[in-house]
Amino acid sequence: MAVRMLFSVDFWRMAVLWTLSLLQSYYMLMMNEFFLFSRQSIAELPCDWRSGRRFEGPGRPICIITGATSGIGEAAARSLAKMGYCVVLAGRSPELLSKIVGEIEEQVKDADVKTFVLDLSCIRSIMKFKSALEQWLTDSASHFSVQILINNAGILATTHRLTPDGFDQMMKTNYLGAFCLTHLLLPLLKNSPVASRVVNVTSFTHRCVSSVQANDGDLAKTMDWISSSEGYPFARTYEISKFYLLLFTREIHRRLQSSQLADKISVVAADPGFVETKIMRELPQTLSWLAFKCLRSLRLLQNAESGVSAVLDAALAPLEASGQYFFGGQGRRIKPSAISYDQKLASELWTSSWRLLCQANSDLKFGECLFS
Ligand SMILES: NC(=O)c1ccc[n+]([C@@H]2O[C@H](COP(=O)([O-])OP(=O)(O)OC[C@H]3O[C@@H](n4cnc5c(N)ncnc54)[C@H](OP(=O)(O)O)[C@@H]3O)[C@@H](O)[C@H]2O)c1
């Protein structure tokens, strides 16, 4: 299998294009530093910016992290629990969730951690999660709101698999699931006593997308890749899923800015860089080992503890950071790809995504979206 993969287009796409995209992001970071743009932008943040948006009681501010059972999500959960948030871990496996809770409670004194089962590849599961969360908020002493939502869950699937709703699993988990969850949680985010934040964990690989359509037909096709004789284009599917998540970030930011919610909810994108996690679990072990080895020798590989810093920056930065792309830690931001600023594409994607979701589940109503 490793040999077959070694000769595949996808492997070389990852080895060459993804490395170049990552280098481009670091180059932009370096240029920002060189011209002092980035330092200025850090200086713009208040000195206590990492704790600036916390509210005081009743209960602790609630932060939801999807995909919190591994890698970056797990590291974010530990850090936010240390900072005094009530951390809601949302994941597929109850066993893994309770294992992580046990570890966090052992490491963090007074940790306030709650778990919920959530499978982002299934609309029913997302709706069930929302109801269970609301019920728990009603029953507990917590404020009926969510302050931070981190859409972190993601997969790099090497084979085409269909979800119960009939979507490509990688597209559904990485993009459409996060789109659906964010919409369902908007009322709780709006209820937060201090401005709430949505963080979409995207990737430098979005830079590999140079042209893509987002109208109904094209999106439906992308959401259900028909395996061609050449096989499933998994590297490209991953890139597009992360690009869509970024377009969604820009579109929701634009809609929030032109609504009365601009000072209530903000949304940002976070790119952790290349991090040694289980993200490559579906690749042959020898190839992921080789990839990590090469990236480590180029000093481009981070561990989860350092990779999570862009996500934490994104989660805790002030309201004014809305719409921005966090990369490199220390509150630093860079520009995403030029095509991700395409407003028409972002708006088309928004509408098509809603239509697809409503077609897949009749309980979802397009008109009920907060800013449809
Ligand atoms: N690692 C990197 O270099 C890198 C770079 C850029 C961006 N990212 C992004 O960072 C995010 C976190 O990835 P990671 O590197 O920490 O990978 P990871 O260690 O594989 O963690 C992924 C998490 O997502 C969860 N997940 C997968 N499918 C799910 C579903 N259908 N519903 C709910 N949760 C699901 C996994 O849960 P299970 O344990 O149940 O599978 C796991 O907790 C992803 O969005 C990834 O695309 C990673």
Side-chain angles (χ1 to χ4, degrees), residues 76 267 275 288 295 325:
V267 56
V275 187
S288 50
L295 287 160
Y325 186 94

Side-chain angles (χ1 to χ4, degrees), residues 117-149:
V117 171
L118 167 69
D119 181 352
L120 280 164
S121 68
C122 170
I123 300 176
R124 282 250 156 264
S125 171
I126 301 175
M127 294 171 100
K128 257 170 94 174
F129 167 71
K130 182 206 172 206
S131 307
L133 180 74
E134 285 178 342
Q135 189 60 51
W136 169 67
L137 286 172
T138 309
D139 296 345
S140 71
S142 309
H143 191 271
F144 194 74
S145 65
V146 169
Q147 193 177 328
I148 303 174
L149 166 64

Side-chain angles (χ1 to χ4, degrees), residues 19 31 42 78 138-139 150 152 182 200 256 267 334 352 371:
T19 309
M31 293 317 270
I42 297 172
R78 198 174 304 112
T138 309
D139 296 345
I150 305 183
N152 162 77
T182 307
N200 289 327
L256 283 166
V267 56
I334 56 171
S352 314
F371 2 75

Side-chain angles (χ1 to χ4, degrees), residues 50-64:
R50 276 201 160 190
S51 56
R53 292 174 28 256
R54 295 270 312 270
F55 70 86
E56 297 306 323
R60 299 190 192 192
I62 289 165
C63 168
I64 300 176

Side-chain angles (χ1 to χ4, degrees), residues 67 69-70 72 92 119-120 152 202 238 242 273 275 277 281:
T69 49
S70 168
I72 297 162
R92 288 186 292 190
D119 181 352
L120 280 164
N152 162 77
T202 174
Y238 180 82
K242 291 294 167 185
V275 187
T277 63
R281 64 183 99 181

Side-chain angles (χ1 to χ4, degrees), residues 276-327:
E276 188 168 4
T277 63
K278 294 185 187 150
I279 192 77
M280 299 218 273
R281 64 183 99 181
E282 292 191 29
L283 288 177
Q285 247 182 2
T286 37
L287 293 188
S288 50
W289 175 83
L290 195 67
F292 286 145
K293 197 164 170 55
C294 291
L295 287 160
R296 196 176 295 116
S297 63
L298 291 169
R299 295 176 160 266
L300 293 175
L301 186 69
Q302 307 171 78
N303 59 24
E305 274 59 42
S306 67
V308 76
S309 53
V311 177
L312 295 176
D313 291 349
L316 304 170
L319 183 68
E320 300 73 53
S322 190
Q324 299 190 1
Y325 186 94
F326 284 77
F327 176 82

